[in-house]
Amino acid sequence: MKNTLKTLAFFTTLILFAFISCGEDGSDPLVKEGGPFAISELAGNWEATSASFTSDSDNTNVDLIGDGGSSSISVQSNGRFTLTIEPADRSAFTLSGEMFWEKWEGDYYFAIAWDDYPGDWDSYGAILSGDTFSINGGVDTGAYDFDDDGTFESASISFTFVKV
């Protein structure tokens, strides 16, 4: 009888712990709605009117559009996207991932989970105003090969896109 009571107490404690752990505090912080706009509102194709990368180590700045390059992004209604970056002086490259709102302490922050870094995401400043979408990231929210040596260096980013 004592073993039965001990076993029952153990499983009751275990179930109670699991119930508390799965409460609201353990909920997924990445959501598609709740921020200043629904992620689905970004669905479509966008062309960059400005795109810049600033080196986190020495403040070197690349003005992709001003230097004759281009960038575009294609976004699905579920937030999945493909970003194409075409510098004027080298080969184009693409990046992909998923856009979310990161809910933290009642506030929402625009977030991107990059496919190259599964299970991790970066937060950005983002504004959607009509057919214009702007995104800005601070230190270590992007990368660019500033000296074209094949190694991408940590960078801050700034993009403005218009819907096409």
Side-chain angles (χ1 to χ4, degrees):
M1 183 72 158
K2 282 186 177 180
N3 284 341
T4 304
L5 288 175
K6 283 182 182 178
T7 303
L8 182 61
F10 173 75
F11 281 112
T12 302
T13 303
L14 187 63
I15 290 169
L16 197 59
F17 176 77
F19 179 76
I20 292 169
S21 296
C22 294
E24 192 171 325
D25 290 341
S27 64
D28 187 0
L30 301 177
V31 296
K32 301 295 178 158
E33 295 183 10
F37 55 88
I39 296 299
S40 61
E41 291 181 62
L42 296 173
N45 297 311
W46 301 79
E47 190 71 32
T49 57
S50 69
S52 66
F53 297 87
T54 303
S55 169
D56 290 341
S57 64
D58 65 6
N59 270 351
T60 300
N61 185 288
V62 171
D63 178 356
L64 187 72
I65 306 303
D67 292 343
S70 65
S71 182
S72 61
I73 190 167
S74 178
V75 183
Q76 298 173 15
S77 61
N78 65 0
R80 294 277 319 148
F81 71 92
T82 301
L83 172 66
T84 302
I85 298 173
E86 300 181 61
D89 62 346
R90 58 187 91 165
S91 299
F93 57 98
T94 60
L95 303 162
S96 59
E98 192 165 356
M99 298 175 184
F100 297 91
W101 288 108
E102 177 184 13
K103 185 176 180 183
W104 188 66
E105 294 186 3
D107 292 321
Y108 292 90
Y109 302 91
F110 187 79
I112 293 177
W114 299 97
D115 287 347
D116 290 345
Y117 301 97
D120 193 14
W121 65 87
D122 292 308
S123 296
Y124 300 85
I127 298 171
L128 178 62
S129 179
D131 287 342
T132 302
F133 173 55
S134 300
I135 180 170
N136 295 292
V139 174
D140 201 28
T141 56
Y144 192 79
D145 184 2
F146 290 95
D147 53 9
D148 199 16
D149 67 353
T151 301
F152 282 76
E153 294 87 27
S154 178
S156 301
I157 65 164
S158 179
F159 285 84
T160 300
F161 295 97
V162 293
K163 202 163 201 174
V164 292

